[in-house]
Amino acid sequence: MVIAIDPHKASWTAAAVNSNLQPLATLRVPVSRDGYRQLRRFARRWPAVTWAIEGATGLGAPLSNRLSGDGIDPVDVPAKLAARVRVLSSGHGRKNDDADAISVGIAALTAAGLLSTSIDDAITALRAVVEHRDDLVKQRTQTINRLHVLLTKLVPAGAPTQLSADAAAGVLRGVRPRDVAGRTFRQLAVDLVAEVRRLDRRICTADADIATALDHTGSTLTELFGIGTGLAGKILARVGNVHRFRSAAAFAAYNGTAPIEVSSGDVKRHRLSRAGDRQLNHALHMMALTQIRHDTEGRTYYQRKRADGKSHKEAMRCLKRRLSDAVYRQLLHDAEHKLTAGPGGHSGTAQTSSVAD
């Protein structure tokens, strides 16, 4: 018996699904302490139940945390898997909370390789800090864009493309408009420069917090050439539990570096994957760019692909696929070392950290 949960911001919808994939009952409760008690009473109607939550590390995280605190490890059901079950069901893809919860239960009973959620405080903290830094960087970019617009009204040629707070302040020091509009534009630009400086300080603080959180995880991702603290934090925050990927190929499919086969008949060909986690894909792209700019085995591999007649983009895709395998192996190594060493740090890795193959 599975108690399947379709979580939302303000409500949890539960469905009890038996081993014959038949729903027996449903319940909708608010996201609150009383709602949690109602769910537990609902589950006690059947012996030996398993809990399954759609997106247990996303909207389902509050419920996952409460269940874990009571010694229950729910199964994490990906939203895409539950959606496919709903589309293929006899209800012609009708969508409501009850149907979604039932789809989660069926997916939990029929899909192989689903993992129970184990809440890792270090990864949770790291994910929060990384997302906070991303928000700050977005705010800074928007502020810089507004500053560019104002400077084009004050300086005929505008400002340089790579604009910083110091560079903008230098431009403004040479501008002394006498008309009302010009003085207004200059004052607004001064205010935006102060805002950029404030955001720069907050981003530096977030970088330090990421470094601290990364140290608590015991990760050795930074030993791979091309991965700094920021990229390592991004990768760990997006991946979470590496054991949810059954192989390096599954990890590559998840991050969008595995090509998709589009063969038909005797024609065998592949195309670029547009799916996958784009932030993970971007992290691997930045790692690949760093490797080809330095004397590394990744650069040698890239040059060999170019010599074989591949374009820059094609060679980069090949390199990113290799780097995906290297990151996966490092994540596995860290996870295994954490299990054997327990709390209290790590001794490093014996793998060659600069290779791309």
Side-chain angles (χ1 to χ4, degrees), residues 243-326:
H243 291 297
R244 65 194 180 104
F245 303 104
R246 64 182 182 276
S247 64
F251 179 67
Y254 179 79
N255 60 46
T257 59
I260 298 176
E261 185 176 6
V262 285
S263 303
S264 179
D266 295 332
V267 178
K268 304 293 183 183
R269 66 187 185 90
H270 296 76
R271 70 167 176 84
L272 174 67
S273 173
R274 298 292 183 185
D277 191 307
R278 304 318 298 171
Q279 293 193 46
L280 263 181
N281 190 283
H282 176 72
L284 292 171
H285 183 79
M286 298 305 295
M287 182 184 179
L289 285 177
T290 303
Q291 290 219 358
I292 64 175
R293 289 171 181 168
H294 296 82
D295 187 14
T296 63
E297 294 191 25
R299 180 178 182 177
T300 303
Y301 177 81
Y302 167 82
Q303 290 174 340
R304 186 165 68 246
K305 289 298 180 180
R306 291 302 307 272
D308 291 340
K310 293 187 179 296
S311 66
H312 166 71
K313 289 185 178 181
E314 291 171 337
M316 282 288 290
R317 292 167 192 163
C318 294
L319 177 57
K320 286 165 62 177
R321 179 64 180 85
R322 289 294 186 94
L323 294 179
S324 172
D325 290 349

Coordinates of all heavy atoms in Angstrom, one line a residue, residues 243-326:
H243 N 23.2 9.1 -6.0 CA 22.8 7.7 -6.1 C 21.4 7.6 -6.8 O 21.0 6.4 -7.2 CB 22.7 7.0 -4.8 CG 24.1 6.7 -4.2 ND1 25.1 6.0 -4.8 CD2 24.7 7.2 -3.1 CE1 26.2 5.9 -4.1 NE2 26.0 6.7 -3.0
R244 N 20.7 8.7 -7.0 CA 19.5 8.6 -7.8 C 19.7 8.4 -9.2 O 18.7 8.1 -10.0 CB 18.6 9.8 -7.5 CG 19.2 11.1 -8.0 CD 18.4 12.3 -7.4 NE 18.9 13.6 -7.8 CZ 18.3 14.4 -8.7 NH1 17.1 13.9 -9.3 NH2 18.8 15.5 -9.0
F245 N 21.0 8.5 -9.7 CA 21.3 8.2 -11.1 C 21.9 6.9 -11.2 O 22.9 6.6 -10.5 CB 22.3 9.3 -11.6 CG 21.7 10.7 -11.5 CD1 22.2 11.6 -10.5 CD2 20.8 11.2 -12.3 CE1 21.8 12.8 -10.4 CE2 20.3 12.5 -12.2 CZ 20.8 13.3 -11.2
R246 N 21.4 6.0 -12.0 CA 21.8 4.6 -12.0 C 23.2 4.4 -12.7 O 23.8 3.4 -12.5 CB 20.8 3.7 -12.7 CG 20.5 4.0 -14.1 CD 19.5 3.2 -14.7 NE 19.3 3.4 -16.2 CZ 18.5 4.4 -16.6 NH1 17.8 5.2 -15.8 NH2 18.4 4.6 -17.9
S247 N 23.5 5.4 -13.5 CA 24.8 5.3 -14.3 C 25.2 6.7 -14.7 O 24.5 7.7 -14.6 CB 24.6 4.4 -15.5 OG 23.7 5.0 -16.4
A248 N 26.5 6.7 -15.3 CA 27.0 8.0 -15.8 C 26.1 8.4 -17.0 O 25.9 9.6 -17.2 CB 28.4 7.8 -16.2
A249 N 25.6 7.5 -17.8 CA 24.7 7.8 -18.9 C 23.4 8.5 -18.4 O 22.9 9.4 -19.0 CB 24.4 6.6 -19.7
A250 N 22.9 8.0 -17.3 CA 21.7 8.6 -16.8 C 21.9 10.0 -16.3 O 21.1 10.9 -16.5 CB 21.1 7.7 -15.7
F251 N 23.1 10.2 -15.7 CA 23.5 11.5 -15.2 C 23.6 12.5 -16.4 O 23.2 13.6 -16.4 CB 24.8 11.5 -14.4 CG 25.3 12.8 -13.9 CD1 24.5 13.5 -13.0 CD2 26.4 13.3 -14.4 CE1 25.0 14.7 -12.5 CE2 26.9 14.5 -13.9 CZ 26.2 15.2 -13.0
A252 N 24.2 12.0 -17.5 CA 24.4 12.8 -18.7 C 23.1 13.2 -19.3 O 22.9 14.3 -19.8 CB 25.3 12.1 -19.7
A253 N 22.1 12.2 -19.3 CA 20.8 12.5 -19.8 C 20.1 13.6 -19.0 O 19.4 14.4 -19.5 CB 20.0 11.2 -19.9
Y254 N 20.4 13.5 -17.7 CA 19.7 14.5 -16.8 C 20.3 15.9 -17.0 O 19.5 16.9 -16.9 CB 20.0 14.0 -15.3 CG 19.4 15.0 -14.3 CD1 18.1 15.0 -14.0 CD2 20.2 15.9 -13.6 CE1 17.5 15.8 -13.0 CE2 19.7 16.7 -12.6 CZ 18.4 16.7 -12.4 OH 17.8 17.5 -11.4
N255 N 21.6 16.0 -17.2 CA 22.2 17.3 -17.4 C 22.2 17.8 -18.9 O 22.7 18.9 -19.2 CB 23.6 17.4 -16.8 CG 24.6 16.4 -17.4 OD1 24.6 16.3 -18.6 ND2 25.3 15.7 -16.6
G256 N 21.7 17.0 -19.8 CA 21.5 17.4 -21.2 C 22.8 17.3 -22.0 O 22.8 17.9 -23.1
T257 N 23.8 16.6 -21.6 CA 25.0 16.4 -22.4 C 25.0 15.1 -23.2 O 25.8 14.9 -24.1 CB 26.2 16.4 -21.5 OG1 26.2 15.3 -20.6 CG2 26.4 17.7 -20.8
A258 N 24.0 14.3 -23.0 CA 23.9 13.0 -23.8 C 23.1 13.3 -25.1 O 21.9 13.8 -25.0 CB 23.2 11.9 -23.0
P259 N 23.6 13.0 -26.2 CA 22.8 13.2 -27.5 C 21.6 12.3 -27.5 O 21.6 11.2 -26.9 CB 23.8 12.9 -28.6 CG 24.8 12.0 -27.9 CD 24.9 12.4 -26.5
I260 N 20.6 12.7 -28.2 CA 19.4 11.9 -28.4 C 19.4 11.2 -29.7 O 19.6 11.8 -30.8 CB 18.1 12.8 -28.2 CG1 18.1 13.4 -26.8 CG2 16.9 12.0 -28.5 CD1 17.0 14.4 -26.7
E261 N 19.1 9.9 -29.7 CA 19.1 9.1 -30.9 C 17.8 9.4 -31.7 O 16.7 9.4 -31.1 CB 19.2 7.6 -30.7 CG 19.3 6.8 -32.0 CD 19.5 5.3 -31.7 OE1 19.5 4.9 -30.5 OE2 19.7 4.6 -32.7
V262 N 17.9 9.7 -33.0 CA 16.7 10.0 -33.8 C 16.8 9.1 -35.1 O 16.7 9.6 -36.2 CB 16.5 11.5 -34.2 CG1 16.0 12.2 -33.0 CG2 17.8 12.1 -34.6
S263 N 17.1 7.9 -34.9 CA 17.3 7.0 -36.0 C 16.0 6.4 -36.6 O 15.0 6.4 -35.9 CB 18.2 5.8 -35.6 OG 19.4 6.2 -35.1
S264 N 16.1 6.1 -37.8 CA 14.9 5.5 -38.5 C 15.3 4.5 -39.6 O 16.1 5.0 -40.5 CB 14.0 6.6 -39.1 OG 12.9 6.0 -39.7
G265 N 14.9 3.3 -39.5 CA 15.4 2.3 -40.5 C 16.9 2.1 -40.5 O 17.5 1.9 -39.5
D266 N 17.5 2.3 -41.7 CA 18.9 2.1 -41.8 C 19.7 3.4 -41.5 O 20.9 3.4 -41.4 CB 19.3 1.6 -43.2 CG 18.7 0.2 -43.5 OD1 18.6 -0.5 -42.5 OD2 18.5 -0.1 -44.6
V267 N 18.9 4.5 -41.3 CA 19.6 5.8 -41.0 C 19.8 5.9 -39.5 O 18.9 5.9 -38.7 CB 18.8 6.9 -41.5 CG1 19.4 8.2 -41.2 CG2 18.5 6.8 -43.0
K268 N 21.1 6.0 -39.1 CA 21.4 6.1 -37.7 C 22.0 7.5 -37.5 O 23.0 7.8 -38.0 CB 22.5 5.0 -37.3 CG 22.0 3.6 -37.6 CD 20.9 3.2 -36.7 CE 20.5 1.7 -36.9 NZ 19.3 1.3 -36.1
R269 N 21.4 8.3 -36.6 CA 21.9 9.6 -36.3 C 21.4 10.1 -35.0 O 20.5 9.5 -34.4 CB 21.5 10.6 -37.4 CG 20.0 10.9 -37.5 CD 19.7 11.8 -38.7 NE 18.3 12.2 -38.7 CZ 17.8 13.3 -38.1 NH1 18.6 14.1 -37.5 NH2 16.5 13.6 -38.2
H270 N 22.1 11.1 -34.4 CA 21.7 11.6 -33.1 C 21.6 13.2 -33.3 O 22.2 13.8 -34.2 CB 22.8 11.3 -32.1 CG 22.9 9.8 -31.8 ND1 23.6 8.9 -32.7 CD2 22.5 9.1 -30.8 CE1 23.5 7.7 -32.2 NE2 22.9 7.8 -31.0
R271 N 20.9 13.7 -32.3 CA 20.8 15.2 -32.3 C 21.0 15.7 -30.9 O 21.1 14.9 -29.9 CB 19.4 15.7 -32.8 CG 18.3 15.3 -31.8 CD 17.0 16.1 -32.2 NE 15.9 15.7 -31.3 CZ 15.6 16.3 -30.2 NH1 16.5 17.2 -29.7 NH2 14.6 16.0 -29.5
L272 N 21.3 17.0 -30.8 CA 21.6 17.6 -29.5 C 20.3 17.6 -28.6 O 19.2 17.8 -29.1 CB 21.9 19.1 -29.8 CG 22.2 20.0 -28.5 CD1 23.4 19.5 -27.7 CD2 22.3 21.4 -28.9
S273 N 20.5 17.3 -27.4 CA 19.5 17.2 -26.4 C 19.2 18.6 -25.9 O 20.1 19.3 -25.4 CB 19.8 16.3 -25.2 OG 18.8 16.4 -24.2
R274 N 17.9 19.1 -26.0 CA 17.5 20.3 -25.5 C 16.9 20.2 -24.1 O 16.4 21.1 -23.5 CB 16.5 21.0 -26.4 CG 17.0 21.3 -27.8 CD 18.1 22.4 -27.7 NE 18.5 22.7 -29.1 CZ 19.5 23.6 -29.3 NH1 20.1 24.2 -28.3 NH2 19.9 23.8 -30.5
A275 N 16.8 19.0 -23.6 CA 16.2 18.7 -22.3 C 17.3 18.7 -21.3 O 18.4 19.0 -21.5 CB 15.5 17.3 -22.4
G276 N 16.9 18.3 -20.1 CA 17.9 18.2 -19.0 C 17.9 19.5 -18.2 O 17.4 20.5 -18.5
D277 N 18.7 19.4 -17.1 CA 18.9 20.6 -16.2 C 19.8 21.6 -16.8 O 21.0 21.3 -17.0 CB 19.4 20.1 -14.9 CG 19.4 21.1 -13.8 OD1 19.9 22.2 -14.0 OD2 18.9 20.9 -12.7
R278 N 19.3 22.7 -17.2 CA 20.1 23.7 -18.0 C 21.2 24.4 -17.1 O 22.2 24.8 -17.6 CB 19.2 24.8 -18.6 CG 18.1 24.3 -19.5 CD 18.6 23.1 -20.4 NE 19.6 23.5 -21.3 CZ 20.3 22.6 -22.1 NH1 20.0 21.3 -22.0 NH2 21.2 23.0 -22.9
Q279 N 20.9 24.5 -15.8 CA 21.9 25.1 -14.9 C 23.1 24.1 -14.8 O 24.3 24.5 -14.8 CB 21.3 25.4 -13.6 CG 20.3 26.5 -13.6 CD 19.9 27.0 -12.3 OE1 20.8 27.3 -11.5 NE2 18.7 27.2 -12.0
L280 N 22.8 22.8 -14.7 CA 23.9 21.8 -14.7 C 24.7 21.8 -16.0 O 25.9 21.8 -16.0 CB 23.4 20.4 -14.4 CG 23.4 19.9 -13.0 CD1 22.8 18.5 -12.9 CD2 24.8 19.9 -12.4
N281 N 23.9 21.9 -17.1 CA 24.6 22.0 -18.4 C 25.5 23.2 -18.5 O 26.6 23.1 -19.1 CB 23.5 22.0 -19.5 CG 24.0 21.8 -20.9 OD1 24.6 22.7 -21.5 ND2 23.9 20.6 -21.4
H282 N 25.0 24.3 -18.0 CA 25.8 25.5 -18.1 C 27.1 25.4 -17.2 O 28.2 25.8 -17.6 CB 25.0 26.7 -17.5 CG 25.8 28.0 -17.5 ND1 26.2 28.7 -18.6 CD2 26.3 28.7 -16.4 CE1 26.9 29.8 -18.2 NE2 26.9 29.8 -16.9
A283 N 27.0 24.7 -16.1 CA 28.2 24.5 -15.2 C 29.2 23.7 -16.0 O 30.4 24.0 -15.9 CB 27.8 23.8 -13.9
L284 N 28.8 22.6 -16.7 CA 29.7 21.8 -17.4 C 30.3 22.6 -18.6 O 31.4 22.4 -19.0 CB 29.0 20.5 -17.9 CG 28.6 19.5 -16.8 CD1 27.6 18.5 -17.4 CD2 29.8 18.9 -16.2
H285 N 29.4 23.5 -19.2 CA 29.9 24.3 -20.3 C 31.1 25.2 -19.8 O 32.1 25.3 -20.5 CB 28.8 25.1 -20.9 CG 29.2 25.9 -22.1 ND1 29.3 25.4 -23.3 CD2 29.5 27.2 -22.2 CE1 29.6 26.3 -24.2 NE2 29.7 27.5 -23.5
M286 N 30.9 25.8 -18.7 CA 31.9 26.7 -18.1 C 33.2 25.9 -17.8 O 34.3 26.4 -18.0 CB 31.4 27.4 -16.9 CG 30.2 28.3 -17.2 SD 30.5 29.6 -18.5 CE 31.8 30.5 -17.7
M287 N 33.0 24.7 -17.3 CA 34.1 23.8 -17.0 C 34.9 23.5 -18.3 O 36.1 23.5 -18.3 CB 33.6 22.6 -16.3 CG 34.7 21.6 -15.9 SD 34.0 20.1 -15.2 CE 35.5 19.1 -14.9
A288 N 34.2 23.2 -19.4 CA 34.8 22.9 -20.7 C 35.5 24.1 -21.2 O 36.7 23.9 -21.7 CB 33.7 22.4 -21.6
L289 N 35.0 25.3 -21.1 CA 35.6 26.5 -21.6 C 37.0 26.7 -20.9 O 38.0 27.0 -21.5 CB 34.7 27.7 -21.4 CG 33.6 27.8 -22.4 CD1 32.7 29.1 -22.1 CD2 34.1 28.0 -23.9
T290 N 36.9 26.5 -19.6 CA 38.2 26.7 -18.8 C 39.2 25.6 -19.2 O 40.4 26.0 -19.3 CB 37.8 26.5 -17.3 OG1 36.8 27.5 -16.9 CG2 39.1 26.8 -16.4
Q291 N 38.8 24.4 -19.4 CA 39.8 23.4 -19.8 C 40.4 23.6 -21.1 O 41.6 23.5 -21.3 CB 39.1 22.0 -19.8 CG 38.8 21.5 -18.4 CD 39.0 20.0 -18.2 OE1 39.4 19.3 -19.1 NE2 38.8 19.6 -17.0
I292 N 39.7 24.1 -22.1 CA 40.3 24.3 -23.4 C 41.1 25.6 -23.5 O 41.9 25.8 -24.4 CB 39.2 24.3 -24.6 CG1 38.3 25.5 -24.4 CG2 38.4 23.1 -24.6 CD1 37.3 25.7 -25.5
R293 N 41.0 26.4 -22.5 CA 41.8 27.6 -22.4 C 43.2 27.4 -21.8 O 44.0 28.3 -21.7 CB 41.1 28.8 -21.7 CG 39.9 29.3 -22.5 CD 39.1 30.3 -21.6 NE 38.0 30.8 -22.4 CZ 36.9 31.5 -21.8 NH1 36.9 31.6 -20.5 NH2 36.0 31.9 -22.6
H294 N 43.3 26.2 -21.2 CA 44.6 25.9 -20.5 C 45.1 24.5 -21.0 O 44.4 23.8 -21.8 CB 44.3 25.8 -19.0 CG 43.9 27.1 -18.4 ND1 42.6 27.5 -18.4 CD2 44.6 28.0 -17.7 CE1 42.5 28.7 -17.8 NE2 43.7 29.0 -17.4
D295 N 46.3 24.3 -20.7 CA 47.0 23.0 -21.1 C 46.5 21.9 -20.3 O 47.1 21.5 -19.3 CB 48.5 23.2 -21.0 CG 49.3 22.0 -21.6 OD1 48.6 21.2 -22.3 OD2 50.5 21.9 -21.4
T296 N 45.4 21.3 -20.7 CA 44.8 20.2 -20.0 C 44.5 19.0 -20.9 O 44.6 19.2 -22.2 CB 43.5 20.6 -19.3 OG1 42.6 21.0 -20.3 CG2 43.7 21.8 -18.4
E297 N 44.2 17.9 -20.4 CA 43.8 16.8 -21.2 C 42.5 17.0 -21.9 O 42.2 16.5 -23.0 CB 43.8 15.5 -20.4 CG 45.1 15.0 -19.9 CD 45.1 13.6 -19.3 OE1 44.2 12.8 -19.7 OE2 45.9 13.3 -18.5
G298 N 41.6 17.9 -21.3 CA 40.4 18.3 -21.9 C 40.7 19.1 -23.2 O 40.0 18.9 -24.2
R299 N 41.7 19.9 -23.1 CA 42.0 20.7 -24.3 C 42.6 19.8 -25.4 O 42.3 19.9 -26.6 CB 43.1 21.7 -24.0 CG 43.5 22.6 -25.1 CD 44.5 23.6 -24.7 NE 45.0 24.5 -25.8 CZ 45.8 25.5 -25.6 NH1 46.3 25.8 -24.4 NH2 46.1 26.2 -26.7
T300 N 43.4 18.8 -25.0 CA 43.9 17.8 -26.0 C 42.8 17.0 -26.7 O 42.8 16.8 -27.9 CB 44.9 16.8 -25.3 OG1 45.9 17.6 -24.7 CG2 45.5 15.9 -26.3
Y301 N 41.8 16.6 -25.9 CA 40.6 15.9 -26.4 C 39.8 16.8 -27.4 O 39.4 16.4 -28.4 CB 39.8 15.5 -25.2 CG 38.5 14.7 -25.7 CD1 38.5 13.4 -26.0 CD2 37.3 15.4 -25.7 CE1 37.3 12.8 -26.4 CE2 36.1 14.8 -26.1 CZ 36.1 13.5 -26.4 OH 35.0 12.8 -26.8
Y302 N 39.6 18.1 -27.0 CA 38.9 19.0 -27.8 C 39.6 19.2 -29.2 O 39.0 19.2 -30.2 CB 38.8 20.3 -27.1 CG 38.3 21.5 -28.0 CD1 37.0 21.7 -28.3 CD2 39.3 22.4 -28.5 CE1 36.6 22.8 -29.0 CE2 38.9 23.5 -29.2 CZ 37.5 23.6 -29.5 OH 37.1 24.7 -30.3
Q303 N 41.0 19.4 -29.1 CA 41.7 19.6 -30.3 C 41.7 18.3 -31.2 O 41.7 18.5 -32.5 CB 43.2 20.0 -30.0 CG 43.3 21.4 -29.4 CD 44.7 21.7 -28.9 OE1 45.5 20.8 -28.7 NE2 45.0 23.0 -28.7
R304 N 41.7 17.2 -30.6 CA 41.6 15.9 -31.4 C 40.3 15.8 -32.1 O 40.2 15.4 -33.3 CB 41.8 14.7 -30.5 CG 41.9 13.4 -31.2 CD 42.4 12.3 -30.4 NE 41.5 11.9 -29.3 CZ 41.8 12.1 -28.0 NH1 42.9 12.7 -27.6 NH2 40.9 11.7 -27.1
K305 N 39.2 16.3 -31.5 CA 37.9 16.3 -32.1 C 37.8 17.3 -33.3 O 37.2 17.0 -34.3 CB 36.8 16.6 -31.1 CG 36.5 15.4 -30.1 CD 36.1 14.2 -30.8 CE 35.8 13.0 -29.9 NZ 35.4 11.8 -30.6
R306 N 38.5 18.4 -33.1 CA 38.5 19.4 -34.2 C 39.3 18.9 -35.3 O 39.0 19.1 -36.5 CB 39.2 20.7 -33.7 CG 38.3 21.5 -32.7 CD 37.0 21.9 -33.2 NE 37.0 22.6 -34.5 CZ 37.2 23.9 -34.6 NH1 37.3 24.7 -33.5 NH2 37.2 24.5 -35.8
A307 N 40.4 18.2 -35.1 CA 41.2 17.6 -36.1 C 40.5 16.5 -36.9 O 40.7 16.3 -38.1 CB 42.5 17.0 -35.6
D308 N 39.5 15.9 -36.2 CA 38.7 14.9 -36.9 C 37.6 15.5 -37.8 O 36.8 14.8 -38.4 CB 38.0 14.0 -35.9 CG 39.0 13.1 -35.2 OD1 40.1 12.9 -35.7 OD2 38.7 12.6 -34.1
G309 N 37.5 16.8 -37.8 CA 36.6 17.5 -38.7 C 35.3 18.1 -38.0 O 34.5 18.6 -38.7
K310 N 35.3 18.0 -36.7 CA 34.1 18.5 -36.0 C 34.2 20.0 -35.8 O 35.3 20.5 -35.7 CB 34.0 17.8 -34.6 CG 33.6 16.3 -34.7 CD 33.3 15.7 -33.3 CE 33.0 14.3 -33.4 NZ 31.7 14.1 -34.2
S311 N 33.1 20.7 -35.8 CA 33.1 22.1 -35.6 C 33.3 22.4 -34.1 O 33.4 21.5 -33.2 CB 31.7 22.7 -35.9 OG 30.7 22.2 -35.1
H312 N 33.5 23.7 -33.8 CA 33.7 24.1 -32.4 C 32.6 23.6 -31.5 O 32.8 23.0 -30.4 CB 33.9 25.6 -32.3 CG 33.8 26.1 -30.9 ND1 34.8 25.9 -29.9 CD2 32.8 26.8 -30.2 CE1 34.4 26.4 -28.8 NE2 33.2 27.0 -28.9
K313 N 31.4 23.8 -31.9 CA 30.2 23.4 -31.1 C 30.2 21.9 -30.9 O 29.9 21.4 -29.8 CB 28.9 23.9 -31.7 CG 28.7 25.4 -31.6 CD 27.4 25.9 -32.1 CE 27.2 27.4 -31.9 NZ 25.9 27.8 -32.4
E314 N 30.4 21.2 -32.0 CA 30.4 19.7 -31.9 C 31.5 19.2 -31.0 O 31.2 18.3 -30.2 CB 30.5 19.1 -33.3 CG 29.3 19.3 -34.2 CD 29.6 18.9 -35.6 OE1 30.8 18.9 -36.0 OE2 28.6 18.7 -36.3
A315 N 32.7 19.7 -31.1 CA 33.8 19.3 -30.2 C 33.5 19.7 -28.8 O 33.8 18.9 -27.8 CB 35.1 20.0 -30.6
M316 N 32.8 20.8 -28.5 CA 32.5 21.2 -27.2 C 31.4 20.2 -26.6 O 31.5 19.9 -25.4 CB 31.9 22.6 -27.1 CG 33.0 23.7 -27.2 SD 33.9 23.8 -25.7 CE 32.7 24.5 -24.6
R317 N 30.5 19.8 -27.4 CA 29.5 18.8 -26.9 C 30.2 17.5 -26.5 O 29.8 16.9 -25.5 CB 28.4 18.6 -28.0 CG 27.5 19.8 -28.3 CD 26.7 19.6 -29.5 NE 26.1 20.8 -29.9 CZ 25.6 21.1 -31.2 NH1 25.7 20.1 -32.1 NH2 25.1 22.2 -31.5
C318 N 31.1 17.1 -27.3 CA 31.8 15.8 -27.0 C 32.6 16.0 -25.7 O 32.6 15.1 -24.8 CB 32.8 15.5 -28.1 SG 32.0 15.0 -29.7
L319 N 33.2 17.1 -25.5 CA 34.0 17.4 -24.3 C 33.1 17.5 -23.1 O 33.4 16.9 -22.0 CB 34.8 18.7 -24.4 CG 35.6 19.1 -23.2 CD1 36.6 18.0 -22.8 CD2 36.4 20.4 -23.5
K320 N 32.0 18.1 -23.2 CA 31.0 18.2 -22.1 C 30.5 16.9 -21.7 O 30.3 16.6 -20.5 CB 29.9 19.2 -22.4 CG 30.2 20.6 -22.5 CD 29.2 21.5 -23.2 CE 27.9 21.5 -22.5 NZ 26.9 22.4 -23.2
R321 N 30.3 16.0 -22.6 CA 29.9 14.6 -22.3 C 30.9 13.9 -21.5 O 30.6 13.2 -20.5 CB 29.6 13.8 -23.6 CG 29.1 12.4 -23.4 CD 27.8 12.4 -22.6 NE 27.4 11.0 -22.4 CZ 27.8 10.2 -21.4 NH1 28.6 10.7 -20.5 NH2 27.3 9.0 -21.3
R322 N 32.2 14.0 -21.9 CA 33.3 13.4 -21.1 C 33.4 14.0 -19.7 O 33.6 13.3 -18.7 CB 34.6 13.6 -21.9 CG 34.8 12.8 -23.1 CD 34.8 11.3 -22.8 NE 35.0 10.4 -23.9 CZ 36.3 10.0 -24.3 NH1 37.3 10.4 -23.6 NH2 36.4 9.2 -25.3
L323 N 33.2 15.3 -19.6 CA 33.3 16.0 -18.3 C 32.2 15.6 -17.4 O 32.3 15.5 -16.2 CB 33.4 17.5 -18.5 CG 34.6 18.1 -19.2 CD1 34.5 19.6 -19.4 CD2 35.9 17.7 -18.5
S324 N 31.0 15.3 -18.0 CA 29.9 14.9 -17.2 C 30.2 13.6 -16.5 O 29.9 13.4 -15.4 CB 28.7 14.7 -18.1 OG 27.6 14.0 -17.4
D325 N 30.9 12.7 -17.3 CA 31.4 11.4 -16.7 C 32.3 11.6 -15.5 O 32.3 11.0 -14.5 CB 32.0 10.5 -17.7 CG 31.0 9.9 -18.7 OD1 29.8 10.1 -18.5 OD2 31.4 9.4 -19.7
A326 N 33.3 12.6 -15.7 CA 34.3 12.9 -14.7 C 33.6 13.4 -13.4 O 34.0 13.0 -12.3 CB 35.3 13.8 -15.2

